[in-house]
């Protein structure tokens, strides 16, 4: 089965790694057809194992190799397609659209945080099919009140986010 591992916190705040090295760790852990998409930690691969076992195996391999606490979220090709196809927002040159990959129920935590946060014009959030989507004007991602919530230490093992365009690139790599 084809999967994508979405790594949290890669190539930000001092956690730097080359995707070629990450791919080697995945190969050593027994994954096949390993390739990366962008430098933000999206690793496409094949395995006969289930996602839960893969998460345990790959987090340990990554933590051991890179000497950091690895958090990653494993999604099948079908699940990755849902992230892209369920996007409730219309694409615009002025806006970023993010989908959040995470543990079951994290979408409700994120919506609660979004509801409490002050918002900029055109900043919106929706939950579709248990997936949290966030639209924010370009240039406001890290400055927005909700954007600051995303770095909370108590949430670091709960989710990671990707721009909706990243899902399209990941899916192209999965299909090829």
């Amino acid at each position: 089965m084809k999967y994508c591992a979405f790594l949290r916190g890669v190539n930000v705040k001092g956690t730097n790694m080359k995707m070629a090295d990450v791919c080697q760790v995945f190969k050593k852990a027994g994954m096949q057809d390993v390739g990366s998409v962008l430098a933000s930690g999206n690793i496409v691969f094949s395995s006969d194992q289930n996602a839960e076992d893969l998460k345990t195996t790959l987090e340990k391999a990554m933590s051991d190799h890179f000497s950091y606490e690895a958090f990653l979220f494993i999604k099948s090709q079908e699940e990755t397609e849902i992230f892209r196809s369920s996007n409730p927002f219309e694409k615009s040159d002025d806006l970023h659209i993010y989908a959040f990959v995470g543990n079951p129920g994290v979408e409700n935590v994120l919506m609660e945080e979004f509801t409490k946060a002050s918002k900029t014009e055109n900043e919106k959030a929706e939950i579709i099919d248990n997936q949290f989507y966030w639209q924010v004007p370009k240039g406001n991602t890290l400055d927005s009140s909700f954007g600051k919530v995303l770095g909370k230490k108590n949430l670091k093992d709960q989710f990671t986010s990707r721009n909706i365009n990243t899902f399209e690139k990941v899916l192209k790599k999965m299909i090829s």
Side-chain angles (χ1 to χ4, degrees), residues 73-134:
F73 303 91
I74 308 290
K75 296 297 175 186
S76 68
Q77 183 172 333
E78 182 180 320
E79 290 170 315
T80 304
E81 172 60 38
I82 290 169
F83 279 100
R84 186 185 61 80
S85 64
S86 295
N87 170 23
F89 302 119
E90 214 170 294
K91 284 190 172 186
S92 164
D93 290 340
D94 301 329
L95 303 168
H96 283 301
I97 301 168
Y98 295 94
F100 289 70
V101 183
N103 297 335
V106 75
E107 68 278 5
N108 299 316
V109 173
L110 291 166
M111 186 55 86
E112 187 178 309
E113 292 288 350
F114 182 80
T115 303
K116 291 189 287 189
S118 59
K119 289 147 197 81
T120 61
E121 188 179 347
N122 292 320
E123 187 174 2
K124 300 175 188 171
E126 283 192 42
I127 297 173
I128 306 289
D129 297 328
N130 299 321
Q131 309 303 328
F132 184 86
Y133 294 89
W134 177 43

